[in-house]
Amino acid sequence: EALVVNDPDFQHEDLNFLSRSQRYEQAIRKSSLMVMKLREYGIADPEEIYWFKSFVHRGRPEPLDLHLGMFLPTLLTQATPEQQDRFFMPAWNLEIIGTYAQTEMGHGTHLRGLETTATYDPATQEFILNSPTVTSIKWWPGGLGKTSNHAIVLAQLYTQGQCKGLHAFIVPIRQLGTHQPLPGITVGDIGPKFGYDEMDNGYLKMDNFRIPRENMLMKYAQVEPDGTYVKPVSDKLTYGTMVFIRSLIVGDSARSLARACTIAIRYSAVRHQSELKPGEPEPQILDYQTQQYKLFPLLATAYAFHFVGAYIKNTYQRISTDISEGDLSELPELHALTAGLKAFTSWTANAGIEECRMACGGHGYSRCSGIPDIYVTFTPSCTYEGENTVMMLQTARFLVKSYTQVNSGQQVTGMVSYLNDLSRQRIQPQHVAARTVTVRINDPVSLVEAYKARAARLVEAAAKNLQAELNHRKSKEDAWNRTSVDLVRASEAHCHYVIVKLFTAKLSEISNVAVRAVLTDLCLLYALYGISKNTGDFLQVGILMDAQITQVNQRVKELLAIIRPNAVALVDSFDFHDVHLGSVLGRYDGNVYENLFEWAKKSPLNKTEVHESFHKHLKPMQSKL
Amino acid sequence: VNPDLASERQTASFSVESLTAWLDGGAERTRMRRAVVEAIEHDPTFSRENQYFQSQNERYEAAVRKAVYLQKKMHEMGWTEDGPEYKYIYRALAGDVAFLLHRIFMRSISMLGSDKQIAKWIPLASQYQIIGSYAQTELGHGTYLQGLETTAVFDTAAQEFILNTPKISAMKWWPGDMGRSATHTVVFAQLYIHGKCYGIHPFIVQIRSLQDHSLCPGITAGDIGPKMSFEHADNGFLMLQNVRIPRENMLNKFCEVQPDGNYVRWGSQKINYFTMTTVRISLISDEVVVPVMKACTIAIRYSVVRRQSKLKPGEQEAKILDYQTQQEKLLPQLAAAYAFHFINDYLQELFNRAYEEIQTKNFDTLPELHAFSSGFKAMVTQYCTSAVEICLRACGGHGYSLLSGLPSLYTKIFASCIYEGENTILLLQTARFLIKCFMAASTGQPVPPSVTYLAAGKPGKCPAQNKLHFLNPDIYTEAYQHAAARLVSSAAAELQNLIQSGVKKHDAWNQCAVQLAQAAKAHCHYITVKNFAETVEKLKTQAGIQKIMKHLCDLFALHGIFSNGGIFLHDGYISGAQMDMVTASYLDLLPVIRKDAVPLVDAFDFTDKSLNSALGSYDGQVYQRLYEWAQKSPTNKQMSPAYERYLKPLLQNKLSKL
């Protein structure tokens, strides 16, 4: 960390004052330097590279992300040894800079809908790549617009007149040496976005562009010289990569929310406003209950998500050995769970970051607060690597499947095992959840039970509604669509339960008594706040009674006051360096106002005391009127 | 026109043109609006074509250029600032113009200045001999005005006020038009006479030379730097060091410092609220309802053009608006856009009534008006901000492109949650009013008609027996009323308990603040639903429109119950079984409104230019437009030095030479 932060080569002007082109240039400059220094220091461990990179770019995207994060790993996992010989070392040495071109203008998460074609021509032993429609133009890949000279392109493979589905091809797009697009290739930047200013997200259009047969990634599926197609062994393997990337997003949700909380909570301790008691000095705004109510549940959420992210990563690592030995039995559940948690955490963090910004009032709106930047960088994760609603429905599919299994007498395992209890309780004519738990609102373990009951009842309700629709309608898909709002709710409840459960389980692992005490408060706050925000679900089927809800609300308020003295310490524990936080409001030293002023003086509009617009427009107007 | 969009228009259950006219308040107004918008949009000076590609400096320059040119244009067209056309001009420019604070500067002089001051300053300002701003917010204080720290000390000898920024947190911060443009500003400062503080007063201060625009002595001012949006506005900072202004520069309609330093006040101080109330009400339509309507237009049109995945095997890919989850994201926002359009009418009416009464020196309605404008400002801005964000996210990846138009709408509407009063504080002001009325009502004292329901609050049960009953406006309006009354009365009881148990009044208030804010929101939600239902009721003559509006009203109301279930279930007013009926009715409405979704946004009648969106244009040529616009991006036109400087050596593996 110190290595990078103190390196003068990585210093530059505040990015907020730079244009998009300038930000891109800075990012490229730093990436080039970074690669050089990584080699110089001999850093090769992926974890270390990750940290190095995140300090160089301060957690921001950069144009080589796709090269390092997708192009190289895809070569490693999907290329044959011959292909690795041809491409890997040049790519490692950055003679080849690649990107991963999957998403098209017309299709994202629904991969089967992609339209780019790769037609095999046995006469020349080449694939002919085409973008047949406007909607088939590759759109969004990072590093594609200006940086890359190669791309791994996903296209529908046609051979011997048949479509064989999506496959990956290595496509050179720019001339080595001049960096000019190759004939048949149209490539460029997709224009300004909400954030990601330093990233040249690009478009790619191909017209009868030919590549040799050997450029199809053929470790699994193959096309033989005569055009015969050889199928891959298993298609579940790709799940592994998706699980891994989605687990990173869960971690990113935790980190982004933690950054926003750090800024908002530190600033709320520095800002004084209005009066609580007549005649006394203005209190810190963090002393207002409404401010605590905005921020502390988010703080608890950031901690909760941190544990969830670690859990998925560990589980993935644990079962990836099984996977490489061919045992895929645990993968479907993890895959389903990760999809939902990716959606749940990214939605929550997204809203939470905005809440933090709102909690900083006007100054939160200034770029110097750093929160606008956190938000625009984070918010696309609700869409990329699987659109959130679609993800929730994937989890729901798994839940409904498990429910059906239980109904047909089978036992299910893992996080959904609570569904097993449903059949036992069915003898009672009553709603399942109605008498299962006597909730003790000060006991996290008891709250886990309450969340479990809620999830069970919402999964059951969704499954029953789905069945009712199926009885009315011919089409399965139609019934599914007409139940999808219920299904999403069920998935959310399931994910919520999993999070409360994991947070609670974590508490017993903490040996330091004081730390455990404060995290127990946070865990309680997380669970109780979740109840108070979703009281309907708990009241409707009698998991909790009116009086208990009143107690929950009361307890939430008490917890706010209990957490208040530790609030700053709890965000300091996230240990974000000022440079990494990039926020005037969230500075560790709290010298907010002086630095706001210093920052503003650097604004481009302040370059001259009298702006050119005065001479151009104002003065002529005043003299004419 | 894209056939996917064209087909949506053929099945409209009502006449789009009549709905547009009704929303405008008559066909005549529609005609005028279109004429104004047409005149502005056909003038290349007002083009927003390159907006997404411009830097802060370029945006500011464009805004000044447009503002200057607008004066000429208005003169040519015979439009005036207080004429009926003005709001349409603003709509056509999408607010992307300088000197908006200049108008507030003039308004504050007109309202707070004496006749003599008005005669002196208004002609100068309306001729743009001076450009004004309005400097209230400071680095350290916003909504809480009493906390402002700028000082104005009266010097009897010189008959002048001496203005100072005593410390860094007292620096004026945020005022629009002040960073680069303004020559004058109204500064709010603590008035001191003979060492005694008389509170906040407004002063006219010249900050830049009228000759060369350089800063006046004692003045430090500039731009506060990049923000999330409002790139075109030069929000500024201002520091004052022993700046002297004549005694006559204090705006003195309601109070005056006499030459000997004697302080005289006349008139009601309540009138100060009136300015804020005016602004809060006017921002609801211009800055909040219009953007949310635009966002709905973009997202809904795009959702019938975008096809993704299959609903039935073997069929074409489905329009994403045919997915229940997409309907459930967008259609409630559409209903909300209509609901808030009507609540805006309601507030305007309330405002006009109060205004007439004030002319006769009757200030009775002011507290109610103030409470309502605060609460609704908070509730509507918060609701609509989240609505625009939902629209943005419902457009997936392409929503994230600036070319969709949605990020700019979002970042702009977001600011409305903070300016003109931070929302939480405003809700608490409304709560204060509600608690007061509740106390009064329960002891039998008279209260304004809009809050008489608070007295009637008692336990009860919702009478609905099947899901169709929840399509009866009386049933759901009653439920909202019950919930609001319960929340207000339980907050009041809690407050009472705390005070009786010895907690100090101020602490008690803070300890109940979360509940109080929730109660205020519930009140506003109730009034919105009630007003929507009444508006639909009055529509009897226009059958086609009434039917679809009734559906929207039902959807708005049931969506609120569905997503805030706990509030209604809490005391058993709505039972668990009834909540299932609500959900069923709510979900049943989605496909019904789905059929008219495109006509319902078409009726908002935004031109393509005013939407400025590659996803939302009327013809639905989404992908072609995205591709064309992207090619116009400067990143594709100018060669970036990055390649020659960094990429080339990198690619040629000459890293060590960097």
Side-chain angles (χ1 to χ4, degrees):
Chain A
E1 181 175 340
L3 204 64
V4 180
V5 172
N6 300 324
D7 188 331
D9 286 343
F10 290 124
Q11 305 305 317
H12 51 78
E13 203 182 331
D14 189 318
L15 294 174
N16 287 305
F17 301 127
L18 302 181
S19 71
R20 251 199 90 207
S21 266
Q22 290 167 323
R23 286 177 79 148
Y24 168 68
E25 195 189 325
Q26 281 295 347
I28 284 280
R29 184 182 69 83
K30 290 201 291 182
S31 295
S32 308
L33 271 168
M34 174 183 78
V35 173
M36 188 181 79
K37 299 212 173 190
L38 282 172
R39 304 287 152 84
E40 187 187 307
Y41 298 136
I43 298 175
D45 175 54
E47 190 97 347
E48 271 185 69
I49 293 182
Y50 176 83
W51 287 113
F52 195 87
K53 189 178 108 61
S54 84
F55 282 108
V56 170
H57 291 283
R58 301 167 191 183
R60 302 202 45 74
E62 53 108 358
L64 293 186
D65 274 350
L66 273 277
H67 176 75
L68 301 171
M70 287 300 286
F71 190 78
L72 289 175
T74 309
L75 284 181
L76 278 179
T77 54
Q78 295 187 38
T80 62
E82 296 79 13
Q83 289 175 325
Q84 301 217 2
D85 286 347
R86 275 170 62 210
F87 294 108
F88 192 78
M89 278 323 283
W92 179 252
N93 290 326
L94 291 140
E95 286 154 32
I96 288 177
I97 295 179
T99 179
Y100 190 83
Q102 174 176 300
T103 301
E104 294 172 1
M105 211 190 263
H107 288 90
T109 306
H110 179 61
L111 290 183
R112 273 166 300 162
L114 295 179
E115 298 172 278
T116 303
T117 59
T119 310
Y120 185 63
D121 175 1
T124 59
Q125 304 223 355
E126 288 173 323
F127 291 104
I128 310 163
L129 285 145
N130 268 303
S131 310
T133 56
V134 179
T135 45
S136 73
I137 296 174
K138 294 289 174 188
W139 200 267
W140 284 111
L144 174 65
K146 302 271 119 182
T147 313
S148 301
N149 54 25
H150 280 69
I152 288 175
V153 170
L154 267 82
Q156 303 285 359
L157 168 65
Y158 283 85
T159 181
Q160 298 176 333
Q162 280 185 311
C163 179
K164 299 290 180 187
L166 280 186
H167 290 76
F169 302 84
I170 301 177
V171 181
I173 54 174
R174 284 191 165 92
Q175 189 74 48
L176 299 182
T178 65
H179 213 56
Q180 290 296 328
L182 294 166
I185 297 284
T186 312
V187 64
D189 174 86
I190 61 162
K193 296 140 297 185
F194 208 173
Y196 273 65
D197 280 351
E198 43 280 275
M199 182 66 99
D200 54 326
N201 296 82
Y203 58 78
L204 172 67
K205 187 167 172 290
M206 294 169 292
D207 297 299
N208 288 316
F209 187 77
R210 287 174 171 261
I211 54 168
R213 185 181 68 89
E214 295 78 19
N215 277 26
M216 175 173 138
L217 290 174
M218 291 212 254
K219 186 166 175 185
Y220 300 109
Q222 282 154 24
V223 172
E224 295 181 347
D226 65 350
T228 308
Y229 177 75
V230 184
K231 273 212 303 207
V233 193
S234 165
D235 54 352
K236 271 192 185 155
L237 280 168
T238 48
Y239 277 11
T241 326
M242 284 195 272
V243 168
F244 178 68
I245 293 179
R246 287 173 194 161
S247 78
L248 290 182
I249 294 179
V250 175
D252 195 34
S253 302
R255 237 178 339 269
S256 302
L257 184 57
R259 287 172 71 192
C261 284
T262 305
I263 295 167
I265 288 178
R266 285 188 185 154
Y267 175 63
S268 300
V270 170
R271 186 150 175 107
H272 291 255
Q273 206 75 184
S274 193
E275 55 184 20
L276 267 174
K277 288 171 201 137
E280 287 192 7
E282 294 184 273
Q284 294 163 297
I285 57 174
L286 200 54
D287 287 334
Y288 289 94
Q289 189 189 58
T290 46
Q291 189 77 351
Q292 296 169 358
Y293 189 71
K294 284 176 197 170
L295 296 176
F296 295 169
L298 295 172
L299 178 64
T301 306
Y303 273 94
F305 289 0
H306 174 78
F307 298 132
V308 175
Y311 167 84
I312 300 179
K313 212 167 115 193
N314 292 339
T315 314
Y316 175 72
Q317 277 164 355
R318 181 170 59 74
I319 69 172
S320 56
T321 340
D322 303 346
I323 297 172
S324 58
E325 285 163 7
D327 174 9
L328 303 177
S329 58
E330 282 192 74
L331 201 49
E333 191 198 342
L334 186 63
H335 178 250
L337 181 62
T338 328
L341 286 174
K342 179 261 175 188
F344 188 95
T345 57
S346 60
W347 266 337
T348 311
N350 189 65
I353 295 166
E354 288 303 72
E355 189 76 24
C356 287
R357 190 169 84 205
M358 201 91 79
C360 293
H363 296 320
Y365 194 74
S366 166
R367 295 259 180 139
C368 73
S369 76
I371 307 184
D373 212 53
I374 296 173
Y375 174 73
V376 296
T377 308
F378 181 76
T379 189
S381 49
C382 295
T383 307
Y384 63 52
E385 300 305 333
E387 198 278 326
N388 276 356
T389 304
V390 180
M391 293 298 99
M392 280 297 186
L393 288 171
Q394 280 184 11
T395 302
R397 210 172 276 280
F398 180 79
L399 294 172
V400 169
K401 208 172 123 196
S402 303
Y403 176 82
T404 316
Q405 276 176 350
V406 168
N407 250 1
S408 63
Q410 285 169 276
Q411 289 279 305
V412 291
T413 55
M415 289 289 187
V416 287
S417 52
Y418 60 83
L419 294 173
N420 292 330
D421 304 339
L422 286 175
S423 58
R424 260 183 278 130
Q425 290 155 1
R426 184 128 324 104
I427 318 141
Q428 308 280 339
Q430 219 180 357
H431 256 305
V432 280
R435 8 130 248 118
T436 44
V437 273
T438 326
V439 179
R440 298 178 305 279
I441 64 163
N442 279 316
D443 177 5
V445 177
S446 177
L447 295 175
V448 173
E449 292 302 311
Y451 274 92
K452 187 197 268 187
R454 168 188 178 228
R457 110 100 191 147
L458 285 173
V459 171
E460 180 171 57
K464 281 187 174 163
N465 287 347
L466 179 63
Q467 194 52 51
E469 287 289 343
L470 277 172
N471 297 342
H472 283 305
R473 259 159 260 277
K474 293 174 281 269
S475 151
K476 244 171 33 188
E477 288 75 10
D478 216 14
W480 180 263
N481 186 32
R482 294 185 63 96
T483 323
S484 53
V485 168
D486 293 332
L487 290 162
V488 170
R489 281 179 80 191
S491 290
E492 282 175 343
H494 175 70
C495 294
H496 212 158
Y497 152 67
V498 169
I499 296 169
V500 174
K501 181 182 157 80
L502 292 175
F503 198 162
T504 306
K506 198 79 200 168
L507 296 175
S508 58
E509 293 172 26
I510 304 168
S511 49
N512 182 309
V513 180
V515 173
R516 187 165 65 218
V518 70
L519 282 181
T520 304
D521 290 336
L522 279 182
C523 179
L524 271 177
L525 179 64
Y526 180 76
L528 293 173
Y529 179 80
I531 293 175
S532 79
K533 281 279 139 182
N534 297 283
T535 44
D537 291 349
F538 292 89
L539 280 170
Q540 191 176 357
V541 290
I543 301 169
L544 292 169
M545 300 296 143
D546 296 353
Q548 285 175 301
I549 293 291
T550 309
Q551 280 171 22
V552 166
N553 291 335
Q554 187 55 36
R555 187 68 188 136
V556 165
K557 293 199 283 186
E558 288 164 16
L559 283 165
L560 297 178
I562 292 172
I563 290 166
R564 168 69 184 88
N566 283 322
V568 170
L570 281 166
V571 296
D572 284 352
S573 306
F574 293 136
D575 199 23
F576 290 111
H577 194 285
D578 273 354
V579 169
H580 202 172
L581 218 45
S583 166
V584 176
L585 302 189
R587 297 168 59 94
Y588 187 80
D589 67 8
N591 293 327
V592 168
Y593 294 128
E594 303 84 312
N595 286 290
L596 254 177
F597 188 36
E598 288 309 310
W599 180 86
K601 284 194 244 174
K602 295 183 212 144
S603 167
L605 276 181
N606 289 331
K607 285 264 152 68
T608 55
E609 191 182 285
V610 176
H611 194 268
E612 55 181 343
S613 291
F614 172 72
H615 303 289
K616 265 188 175 159
H617 306 295
L618 291 180
K619 209 173 168 185
M621 169 182 73
Q622 287 172 330
S623 60
K624 264 184 226 150
L625 283 169
Chain B
V1 174
N2 184 317
D4 280 338
L5 199 45
S7 66
E8 300 282 337
R9 295 189 170 115
Q10 278 152 15
T11 52
S13 75
F14 60 92
S15 148
V16 170
E17 192 61 25
S18 325
L19 179 53
T20 303
W22 182 58
L23 288 174
D24 276 323
E28 178 52 29
R29 289 211 208 153
T30 302
R31 197 199 53 73
M32 180 198 282
R33 175 174 56 73
R34 285 180 182 158
V36 171
V37 170
E38 164 98 4
I40 299 267
E41 288 183 347
H42 268 74
D43 195 323
T45 314
F46 295 117
S47 166
R48 290 161 64 219
E49 203 184 321
N50 290 317
Q51 180 179 311
Y52 301 129
F53 304 129
Q54 289 173 332
S55 70
Q56 196 195 358
N57 255 321
E58 290 164 335
R59 288 286 300 277
Y60 166 67
E61 194 197 316
V64 172
R65 190 182 63 230
K66 286 182 199 175
V68 168
Y69 184 74
L70 181 62
Q71 302 311 314
K72 208 174 116 194
K73 185 90 189 174
M74 287 178 64
H75 188 72
E76 256 173 48
M77 304 295 294
W79 301 332
T80 58
E81 303 227 338
D82 36 24
E85 295 92 352
Y86 194 81
K87 69 173 181 174
Y88 302 136
I89 299 175
Y90 188 81
R91 173 171 158 134
L93 294 170
D96 203 17
V97 62
F99 306 157
L100 296 175
L101 267 286
H102 182 68
R103 285 172 59 79
I104 308 240
F105 172 77
M106 289 173 63
R107 193 187 301 171
S108 60
I109 293 176
S110 312
M111 295 190 81
L112 305 173
S114 64
D115 292 346
K116 208 170 135 196
Q117 288 171 323
I118 293 172
K120 174 175 176 190
W121 295 102
I122 295 298
L124 286 172
S126 52
Q127 292 293 309
Y128 286 88
Q129 294 306 305
I130 60 172
I131 296 167
S133 174
Y134 182 85
Q136 178 175 298
T137 302
E138 294 173 358
L139 202 39
H141 288 89
T143 306
Y144 178 64
L145 291 185
Q146 291 102 299
L148 296 178
E149 297 171 293
T150 303
T151 57
V153 178
F154 186 60
D155 174 355
T156 326
Q159 293 286 302
E160 286 174 332
F161 294 105
I162 311 164
L163 279 88
N164 267 300
T165 303
K167 53 195 212 195
I168 195 138
S169 56
M171 194 172 357
K172 294 292 175 188
W173 200 270
W174 283 108
D177 290 335
M178 195 172 78
R180 311 270 49 174
S181 304
T183 60
H184 287 67
T185 186
V186 172
V187 170
F188 284 77
Q190 303 283 1
L191 169 65
Y192 285 86
I193 309 167
H194 302 316
K196 189 180 163 198
C197 181
Y198 288 84
I200 291 294
H201 289 75
F203 302 86
I204 298 178
V205 180
Q206 181 175 354
I207 58 172
R208 287 191 174 87
S209 147
L210 292 177
Q211 271 69 49
D212 61 5
H213 214 62
S214 63
L215 294 171
C216 294
I219 301 282
T220 311
D223 174 82
I224 62 161
K227 299 136 293 186
M228 235 190 143
S229 180
F230 291 87
E231 295 91 341
H232 64 282
D234 55 326
N235 297 82
F237 60 78
L238 171 69
M239 217 159 39
L240 304 149
Q241 279 158 313
N242 291 317
V243 173
R244 288 179 166 265
I245 54 166
R247 188 179 63 90
E248 295 75 27
N249 278 22
M250 180 173 119
L251 292 175
N252 60 6
K253 184 169 190 173
F254 299 106
C255 51
E256 192 182 31
V257 177
Q258 292 174 338
D260 60 355
N262 194 19
Y263 179 84
V264 195
R265 167 177 289 285
W266 50 81
S268 164
Q269 224 182 337
K270 282 189 193 148
I271 198 74
N272 283 333
Y273 290 142
F274 199 65
T275 325
M276 285 195 280
T277 306
T278 321
V279 177
R280 280 175 196 156
I281 290 177
S282 72
L283 82 87
I284 288 178
S285 103
D286 296 345
E287 308 296 343
V288 184
V289 177
V290 164
V292 96
M293 285 173 166
K294 282 183 178 176
C296 287
T297 306
I298 295 168
I300 286 175
R301 285 183 183 162
Y302 175 64
S303 295
V304 299
V305 169
R306 179 126 177 129
R307 290 176 173 273
Q308 207 74 181
S309 193
K310 287 174 187 171
L311 266 175
K312 286 174 194 131
E315 280 188 6
Q316 205 188 354
E317 288 186 86
K319 295 174 175 181
I320 57 174
L321 195 59
D322 287 328
Y323 290 94
Q324 190 189 46
T325 45
Q326 187 76 353
Q327 293 168 7
E328 211 261 331
K329 284 177 197 169
L330 295 178
L331 302 181
Q333 317 315 322
L334 177 64
Y338 277 92
F340 295 134
H341 175 84
F342 301 134
I343 207 68
N344 180 55
D345 292 346
Y346 170 86
L347 289 172
Q348 284 298 343
E349 230 180 271
L350 194 70
F351 176 81
N352 293 340
R353 233 184 307 135
Y355 189 76
E356 276 168 31
E357 286 177 17
I358 286 169
Q359 300 308 308
T360 64
K361 299 269 179 240
N362 174 356
F363 297 110
D364 292 351
T365 32
L366 265 184
E368 186 191 4
L369 184 66
H370 179 63
F372 270 47
S373 69
S374 304
F376 278 106
K377 186 267 177 187
M379 186 240 191
V380 177
T381 54
Q382 207 166 334
Y383 202 116
C384 292
T385 298
S386 108
V388 173
E389 211 225 351
I390 289 169
C391 291
L392 191 158
R393 279 194 280 125
C395 291
H398 295 321
Y400 189 72
S401 168
L402 286 195
L403 308 180
S404 74
L406 292 165
S408 336
L409 287 173
Y410 175 62
T411 51
K412 223 177 153 185
I413 198 174
F414 183 95
S416 69
C417 294
I418 294 152
Y419 62 60
E420 300 306 332
E422 199 275 330
N423 279 352
T424 305
I425 299 170
L426 295 186
L427 284 174
L428 290 175
Q429 287 179 7
T430 308
R432 208 176 279 278
F433 172 79
L434 292 173
I435 294 288
K436 222 165 127 185
C437 292
F438 172 77
M439 299 296 193
S442 43
T443 54
Q445 292 164 42
V447 293
S450 58
V451 288
T452 43
Y453 77 92
L454 291 175
K458 53 183 176 294
K461 295 263 177 266
C462 171
Q465 276 151 26
N466 60 49
K467 67 176 183 179
L468 292 179
H469 287 169
F470 278 103
L471 300 178
N472 176 351
D474 294 340
I475 296 278
Y476 55 68
T477 310
E478 190 76 23
Y480 273 94
Q481 188 192 77
H482 178 85
R486 177 179 71 76
L487 287 169
V488 172
S489 71
S490 74
E494 174 76 13
L495 209 51
Q496 219 46 44
N497 278 343
L498 284 172
I499 292 169
Q500 273 164 14
S501 70
V503 179
K504 294 229 179 66
K505 223 171 152 187
H506 290 85
D507 284 330
W509 183 263
N510 188 33
Q511 282 173 36
C512 293
V514 168
Q515 257 174 294
L516 288 162
Q518 195 191 23
K521 232 189 282 183
H523 167 76
C524 294
H525 209 149
Y526 157 58
I527 300 287
T528 309
V529 168
K530 182 166 168 257
N531 178 63
F532 201 159
E534 285 168 0
T535 307
V536 172
E537 185 66 20
K538 279 186 239 149
L539 253 173
K540 284 237 163 73
T541 47
Q542 300 180 316
I545 293 175
Q546 198 218 19
K547 199 166 157 212
I548 187 68
M549 285 301 126
K550 164 78 168 56
H551 290 320
L552 283 175
C553 179
D554 294 346
L555 186 75
F556 179 78
L558 296 184
H559 171 75
I561 301 179
F562 171 77
S563 31
N564 301 289
I567 292 178
F568 297 90
L569 286 162
H570 190 90
D571 58 348
Y573 183 81
I574 285 185
S575 69
Q578 284 173 324
M579 193 52 84
D580 285 337
M581 297 171 198
V582 169
T583 308
S585 264
Y586 165 60
L587 294 177
D588 285 348
L589 279 167
L590 295 174
V592 175
I593 295 171
R594 155 71 186 89
K595 296 198 194 92
D596 279 319
V598 168
L600 281 168
V601 297
D602 282 353
F604 295 145
D605 203 27
F606 291 109
T607 60
D608 285 353
K609 280 183 179 159
S610 80
L611 290 174
N612 209 12
S613 162
L615 304 187
S617 52
Y618 188 83
D619 67 8
Q621 304 297 354
V622 168
Y623 297 114
Q624 292 83 340
R625 202 166 268 114
L626 257 180
Y627 189 41
E628 271 167 39
W629 287 16
Q631 282 164 314
K632 285 193 274 182
S633 169
T635 41
N636 291 325
K637 288 200 291 203
Q638 300 150 6
M639 191 62 195
S640 166
Y643 174 68
E644 285 295 328
R645 264 189 226 163
Y646 307 111
L647 275 180
K648 202 168 165 185
L650 183 69
L651 288 162
Q652 295 172 357
N653 211 359
K654 291 173 188 152
L655 290 167
S656 50
K657 290 185 188 159
L658 270 173

